[in-house]
Amino acid sequence: MQRHVVRRDSAQGEVSIDVRIDGARHAPQLVLLPSLGRDSDDFDVIAAALAGGGYRVLRPAPRGMAGSRGPLQDITLWDLADDVAAVIEADRALCTSEASASHAKVIPAVVAGHAYGNWVARCLAVRHPRLLRGVALLAAGHRGATPATIREAISRSFDTSLPQAQRMQALQ
């Protein structure tokens, strides 16, 4: 596994995304997006297996998780999708320079979004379709409205301005 940081300027300010990468540069890109308030290390086991199966697995940590930083106030799913697009494009630039030397063709990525990550994946597909060849939605079901108390607890669980103990209590 490798780690890279991708930096980009957004309408809200500078964003840096910590990305875990498994697999060879010449392999097809597969992007795994975690659920709300979760880090991309949730995919450690499956990323290793997918890399072993011939994929280059990109796991960008959402803003506020791992080493990813950027404004959290008033951001939208579109902003998070743009973060992921920047990761794909940065990795593609590395792969393209290597592919030029070996005459290999870089193909569009497949993105898989788990739970909340499915909404980011959908926005990514709408806003940046040229980057993708497929979208997988994992645990994307939704039945009825989520109670306000649950939504508030989820929000507190990934609010990095709160003490760790309060965030853990919110997860429970």
Side-chain angles (χ1 to χ4, degrees), residues 14-35:
E14 185 178 301
V15 176
S16 62
I17 304 299
D18 181 38
V19 186
R20 292 173 176 92
I21 302 174
D22 299 275
R25 283 190 180 168
H26 65 277
Q29 290 175 320
L30 178 57
V31 184
L32 301 178
L33 304 178
S35 59

Side-chain angles (χ1 to χ4, degrees), residues 1 21-24 27 30 32 42-57 59:
M1 181 189 67
I21 302 174
D22 299 275
L30 178 57
L32 301 178
D42 282 357
F43 297 117
D44 282 352
V45 173
I46 193 168
L50 290 166
Y55 291 94
R56 180 166 177 81
V57 184
R59 295 180 288 144

Side-chain angles (χ1 to χ4, degrees), residues 146-159 162 170-171:
T146 304
T149 56
I150 299 296
R151 288 193 312 270
E152 291 167 15
I154 291 170
S155 293
R156 284 192 312 275
S157 74
F158 71 90
D159 183 349
L162 294 175
L171 278 174

Side-chain angles (χ1 to χ4, degrees), residues 69-160:
R69 300 289 177 258
L72 295 172
Q73 296 290 62
D74 301 321
I75 60 170
T76 67
L77 289 168
W78 301 108
D79 298 319
L80 299 175
D82 290 344
D83 292 350
V84 177
V87 166
I88 293 170
E89 289 173 333
D91 188 65
R92 183 174 288 171
L94 287 173
C95 296
T96 301
S97 64
E98 190 172 285
S100 296
S102 67
H103 304 292
K105 182 181 176 188
V106 177
I107 58 175
V110 172
V111 63
H114 175 250
Y116 184 83
N118 104 84
W119 299 106
V120 178
R122 291 172 195 232
C123 289
L124 178 66
V126 169
R127 186 170 272 183
H128 302 281
R130 66 182 171 71
L131 296 178
L132 303 179
R133 66 184 168 114
V135 178
L137 307 178
L138 311 173
H142 182 67
R143 296 181 188 185
T146 304
T149 56
I150 299 296
R151 288 193 312 270
E152 291 167 15
I154 291 170
S155 293
R156 284 192 312 275
S157 74
F158 71 90
D159 183 349
T160 57

